[in-house]
Structures are given as C-alpha cells and as structure tokens.
Amino acid sequence: QSATWIVGLTVWGRAMDRKGSMWLLRAAYLLSAIGPIVFLLAGSGWLLLPAYLAQGLAMGAVDLGFTSASIDFADADHVYEY
C-alpha cells in the first residue's frame, strides 16, 4: 500500500498537471470506493491485494489533490499558509 502510494504520487502528479486538482480528487474518491467492495467480496487473502493497491493509489491522489486544491482555492494573500 505504501509503495503504490509513492508510485501514485508520480502518476497522479502528471495527471493533475494536465487535468487539474478537482479532476484528481474526483478520480481519487472513485478509486477509493473500489477498496471496500473488494474487501467485502474477497474470498482469500490474495484477493485483498487489488484492494490494497487501489487504496494506495487513491491515498496518493487524495494527498496530492487535496493539497493542490487547497492552494488553488485559497485567497492570494493566504497561499503561503498552505
């Protein structure tokens, strides 16, 4: 999960530069919905691997997207606070 979070920061950073932080947050929350569904349907421990990969990628997207969106929507006088 941590490894996919780090990889996700790289992948999502490029996508955010092209499409924006709000698009990234929407994609992250959609991807976050996959984890609980896979956890619910998993019949063995190995089937949990896709859930952990999806959660790692989603957390990287949330981390990057939320920070960037906060800066995007901040007043110009308060950007340095973020």
Side-chain angles (χ1 to χ4, degrees), residues 7-66:
V7 170
L9 288 175
T10 305
V11 172
W12 292 121
R14 186 173 294 136
M16 185 182 66
D17 287 342
R18 293 180 182 156
K19 297 185 180 186
S21 58
M22 290 307 295
W23 177 88
L24 181 61
L25 284 174
R26 287 185 195 107
Y29 291 128
L30 183 63
L31 187 59
S32 295
I34 293 172
I37 294 169
V38 175
F39 280 130
L40 182 66
L41 299 175
S44 71
W46 286 107
L47 294 177
L48 295 176
L49 185 62
Y52 285 119
L53 295 175
Q55 282 186 330
L57 288 172
M59 288 294 92
V62 168
D63 185 22
L64 190 61
F66 185 73

